[in-house]
Amino acid sequence: MEPRYVLILDFSAGCLNIIELTDEELKESEKYDDFEDFLSTIEDKYGFRLNDCNWMVTENLSIYRYENGKEVEDA
């Protein structure tokens, strides 16, 4: 899986950051044995702190949003 998207759940700010990595960032990330070490290099660029976050990566991005137990069309 190529980690094209990084989803960062910032529990200190109560927000979700969705980052689509550039080709250059993907190439740079391959230089690291631990992906989290790479993420620490882009904290300032994208305005998050790993110490305040949980994160995951995915190749494809699907977004679903719910209100009152039902999916909202315009997610």
Side-chain angles (χ1 to χ4, degrees):
M1 175 182 77
E2 183 175 87
R4 174 58 70 175
Y5 295 93
V6 181
L7 287 73
I8 298 177
L9 181 60
D10 186 332
F11 48 80
S12 69
C15 68
L16 172 64
N17 297 305
I18 301 172
I19 300 168
E20 183 176 1
L21 296 174
T22 65
D23 290 337
E24 294 80 20
E25 289 167 338
L26 283 172
K27 192 171 189 169
E28 181 67 22
S29 73
E30 293 171 359
K31 297 177 184 176
Y32 294 83
D33 291 329
D34 184 348
F35 194 79
E36 192 163 302
D37 290 339
F38 163 71
L39 288 178
S40 69
T41 69
I42 63 171
E43 284 179 311
D44 290 336
K45 179 178 181 180
Y46 291 106
F48 66 90
R49 289 184 25 166
L50 281 175
N51 289 342
D52 298 333
C53 300
N54 288 320
W55 60 271
M56 66 175 273
V57 295
T58 184
E59 187 171 5
N60 299 303
L61 180 63
S62 298
I63 299 173
Y64 303 96
R65 185 169 168 249
Y66 298 87
E67 288 181 11
N68 297 321
K70 296 184 181 183
E71 187 174 352
V72 177
E73 293 289 325
D74 298 323

